[in-house]
Amino acid sequence: MARVYNFSAGPAVLPEEVLKEAAEEMLDYRGCGMSVMEMSHRSKTYDNIIKEAEADLRQIMNIPDNYKVLFLQGGASQQFAMIPMNLMKNGVADYIVTGQWAKKAYQEACMYGKANKIASSEDKTFSYIPDCSDLPISPDADYVYICENNTIYGTKFHELPNTKGKTLVADVSSCFLSEPVDVTKYGVIYGGVQKNIGPAGVVIVIIREDLITEDVLPGTPTMLRYKTHADNDSLYNTPPAYGIYICGKVFKWIQKMGGLEAMKKRNEEKAAILYDYLDHSKLFKPTVEKGSRSLMNVPFVTGDDELDAKFVKEAKAAGLESLKGHRSVGGMRASIYNAMPKEGVEALVAFMKKFEAENLK
């Protein structure tokens, strides 16, 4: 069977050449006689894999030396607790709630201290990013938290909030490595890799060293302390070894493609094809305000639930997979991450035009 165009929000499409390379190395990684999946994480061979992955990520993102790169488990959702446990020194944090995941992070933080919701776009079903140029930042806030790209709702911060000197913490799960980033503007950048970088099971945390201390909330488990992982180069316990190996291959692929500038250009071209069609379609409507649109996740609707379901079903039969919107919002969503080729977006738009011609009343 031919490969489909996979528009899943995560686990999501990976570069075909990465999958082929991993397949070739599955039984015997570079002459060592075993798979990376079977290899001791304490072996010299694996040590080279994880160190090279970190070095490549540092090069791609231009990560300064005073930031640690951690390869962890528990997905992005575990960070919702880990962040307040490690960073809430004053017991106060400010949250900008622009979607489901930011809301969950805010609710989790409320368990550990005083979490303030200083801005939200819930009033319009998270269809925009609020103005964050002059927010009521708490004077004693330990950090300001955002989810930079909202996978479910298809919104993106195109300008970072003015945190008035406070540490910025960002969940970048669904826009990781999609465009250049100035790491120095953040205290913590983290994301689950299963959208843009690798298989589910790895979360990457990029954290400024001064934020990694022994001074954590009482009762913070050893495994949930950043210091535990930073002191042990992400090898305190068995890491998600195979997932990190695939991430390393994706980093090499990004370098080969021309780095983050090239990724951004490619992603803008793909998104423009889909948004331009949606803005002129008589059947399909985009759900996000123009200035807040994501390059990665594009939600749209017909306004008729039955027609939406028909579209998803017929699209699947045409080899366009996983276009159903998140269960909390319905409609459709096309996730067009780095590894989605331009041809995939063109095939989607061609199918949408055909569907529109056949179903427009």
Side-chain angles (χ1 to χ4, degrees), residues 154-222:
T155 59
K156 165 84 164 66
F157 280 82
H158 294 296
E159 263 183 58
L160 293 176
N162 174 7
T163 64
K164 301 179 182 175
K166 300 295 183 187
T167 297
L168 179 65
V169 175
D171 173 354
V172 299
S173 295
S174 53
C175 60
F176 224 156
L177 303 186
S178 64
E179 59 184 27
V181 58
D182 180 354
V183 176
T184 63
K185 290 184 174 172
Y186 306 78
V188 180
I189 303 175
Y190 79 89
V193 304
Q194 72 277 11
K195 299 168 185 299
N196 234 353
I197 304 173
V202 185
V203 60
I204 295 172
V205 176
I206 300 160
I207 177 168
R208 211 172 60 229
E209 283 179 350
D210 62 286
L211 299 171
I212 305 170
T213 65
E214 295 277 12
D215 177 23
V216 296
L217 294 187
T220 299
T222 304

Side-chain angles (χ1 to χ4, degrees), residues 77-359:
S77 295
Q78 187 161 287
Q79 295 303 310
F80 299 169
M82 224 167 148
I83 284 155
M85 282 175 160
N86 284 269
L87 303 189
M88 262 192 179
K89 316 291 187 198
N90 300 322
V92 181
D94 289 349
Y95 279 70
I96 298 168
V97 178
T98 51
Q100 206 66 20
W101 304 113
K103 189 177 180 179
K104 286 187 174 177
Y106 161 73
Q107 288 166 340
E108 193 80 5
C110 289
M111 293 163 59
Y112 298 101
K114 186 169 185 277
N116 304 303
K117 196 190 291 187
I118 56 168
S120 171
S121 53
E122 201 162 3
D123 61 328
K124 292 185 184 171
T125 331
F126 299 124
S127 60
Y128 70 103
I129 297 292
D131 177 6
C132 296
S133 57
D134 186 18
L135 295 168
I137 305 283
S138 311
D140 53 352
D142 293 300
Y143 60 87
V144 177
Y145 181 101
I146 62 169
C147 179
E148 197 163 318
N149 188 89
N150 297 283
T151 324
I152 296 175
Y153 299 95
T155 59
K156 165 84 164 66
F157 280 82
H158 294 296
E159 263 183 58
L160 293 176
N162 174 7
T163 64
K164 301 179 182 175
K166 300 295 183 187
T167 297
L168 179 65
V169 175
D171 173 354
V172 299
S173 295
S174 53
C175 60
F176 224 156
L177 303 186
S178 64
E179 59 184 27
V181 58
D182 180 354
V183 176
T184 63
K185 290 184 174 172
Y186 306 78
V188 180
I189 303 175
Y190 79 89
V193 304
Q194 72 277 11
K195 299 168 185 299
N196 234 353
I197 304 173
V202 185
V203 60
I204 295 172
V205 176
I206 300 160
I207 177 168
R208 211 172 60 229
E209 283 179 350
D210 62 286
L211 299 171
I212 305 170
T213 65
E214 295 277 12
D215 177 23
V216 296
L217 294 187
T220 299
T222 304
M223 277 294 288
L224 297 187
R225 296 168 185 238
Y226 289 125
K227 193 164 180 8
T228 300
H229 302 285
D231 288 352
N232 292 280
D233 297 326
S234 303
L235 293 164
Y236 171 75
N237 69 327
T238 311
Y242 193 79
I244 294 166
Y245 152 79
I246 298 289
C247 292
K249 290 203 175 299
V250 173
F251 300 154
K252 294 253 183 259
W253 175 78
I254 289 172
Q255 286 171 325
K256 190 175 139 190
M257 298 293 285
L260 296 187
E261 287 289 353
M263 278 295 146
K264 184 182 186 190
K265 186 168 178 288
R266 189 179 137 104
N267 289 328
E268 284 173 340
E269 281 173 9
K270 289 187 300 189
I273 293 166
L274 185 47
Y275 283 124
D276 286 352
Y277 166 67
L278 285 170
D279 284 337
H280 296 99
S281 170
K282 291 188 168 61
L283 181 64
F284 298 103
K285 297 282 170 283
T287 59
V288 175
E289 290 184 10
K290 270 192 176 170
S292 300
R293 288 175 175 178
S294 165
L295 294 179
M296 297 284 100
N297 312 100
V298 184
F300 54 96
V301 295
T302 64
D304 177 331
D305 290 347
E306 281 181 22
L307 202 53
D308 286 355
K310 184 185 180 195
F311 173 82
V312 171
K313 188 179 173 189
E314 290 184 9
K316 184 180 171 75
L320 306 167
E321 191 68 52
S322 303
L323 283 162
K324 192 170 189 277
H326 190 270
R327 61 185 182 276
S328 62
V329 291
M332 283 75 69
R333 169 181 54 181
S335 293
I336 49 176
Y337 298 124
N338 285 351
M340 172 59 68
K342 188 175 167 184
E343 295 76 29
V345 182
E346 288 169 342
L348 171 61
V349 170
F351 177 79
M352 289 170 78
K353 284 177 178 169
K354 177 174 170 283
F355 186 88
E356 179 167 353
E358 290 167 0
N359 292 276

Side-chain angles (χ1 to χ4, degrees), residues 29-40:
Y29 176 74
R30 300 188 183 174
C32 77
M34 65 176 110
S35 171
V36 175
M37 217 179 264
E38 308 168 290
M39 191 180 285
S40 165

